[in-house]
């Protein structure tokens, strides 16, 4: 149930993705904690986490390590 404008933005970013470090710099760790848990569950539900998925999940965890230590996941 995404807005058409959101879908267009997603499509544009899929064609020319930003570097992971640029995205991590924009990350709000307060919102990343629950999102990361959900992303990990989705990735694991497919039968395992790919090396690419693990790299991204680990980068987010490292960036937000202080926030993660304050919250039980």
């Amino acid at each position: 149930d995404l807005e058409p404008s959101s879908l267009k933005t997603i499509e544009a970013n899929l064609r020319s993705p930003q570097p992971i470090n640029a995205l991590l710099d924009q990350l709000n760790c307060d919102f990343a904690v629950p999102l990361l848990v959900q992303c990990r569950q989705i990735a694991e539900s497919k039968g395992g986490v790919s090396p690419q998925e693990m790299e991204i999940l680990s980068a987010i965890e490292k960036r937000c390590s202080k926030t993660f230590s304050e919250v039980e996941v």
Side-chain angles (χ1 to χ4, degrees):
D1 296 332
L2 296 173
E3 295 290 324
S5 62
S6 295
L7 291 173
K8 287 181 182 179
T9 301
I10 292 168
E11 181 181 7
N13 285 309
L14 285 174
R15 291 186 181 155
S16 57
Q18 296 181 30
I20 186 75
N21 288 334
L23 295 172
L24 288 173
D25 288 341
Q26 300 172 42
L27 187 63
N28 180 328
C29 292
D30 290 336
F31 296 107
V33 172
L35 181 60
L36 182 65
V37 171
Q38 187 174 20
C39 289
R40 184 176 295 280
Q41 289 172 344
I42 291 169
E44 290 173 351
S45 73
K46 298 183 307 177
V49 181
S50 73
Q52 295 86 358
E53 291 168 331
M54 184 55 71
E55 181 180 351
I56 292 168
L57 295 171
S58 295
I60 294 169
E61 288 174 352
K62 182 177 178 183
R63 172 80 161 100
C64 298
S65 61
K66 180 180 179 193
T67 303
F68 282 109
S69 66
E70 295 171 356
V71 176
E72 286 189 35
V73 190

